[in-house]
Amino acid sequence: MLRQENRIVKNKDFDRAFRLGQSFYGKILGIKATDNGLAINRLGILVSTKISKKAPVRNRFKRQIREIIRQEMILLRPGKDIVIIVFPLILNKDFQEIQTSIRRGLERLRLYK
């Protein structure tokens, strides 16, 4: 579980990431990353009702993505806001495929130390 200080919760922070952030878009998810001026990384996850009308299904993907980022957090450069946007094709994917896609996106955005 990510700590509260490592989460993006305000709309203005999401908007800033979308306006100023670098982008990576794959088939199952997109990643936007921008500097946040802090000494820590923060994460925001967007899973729309297009994925599923059922909240437990959407929440399962959020939990999986949070766990993947929690494992990768010590390898990432500090001071970034990361927003992950989930696309409907994620429904057919397992944990390993999601993890591979996130790692590829983080590498492409040069967020690793």
Side-chain angles (χ1 to χ4, degrees), residues 75-88:
L75 303 174
L76 298 176
R77 289 189 284 137
K80 297 286 184 180
D81 277 350
I82 301 167
V83 176
I84 297 179
I85 306 106
V86 178
F87 300 141

Side-chain angles (χ1 to χ4, degrees), residues 11-43:
N11 282 338
K12 68 176 187 173
D13 294 330
F14 278 101
D15 292 341
R16 189 170 48 77
F18 276 101
R19 226 176 352 145
L20 304 174
Q22 299 173 311
S23 300
F24 164 81
Y25 286 100
K27 293 184 179 185
I28 63 172
L29 54 84
I31 301 175
K32 299 285 268 180
T34 186
D35 293 326
N36 63 13
L38 303 171
I40 58 171
N41 290 326
R42 297 187 304 174
L43 173 71

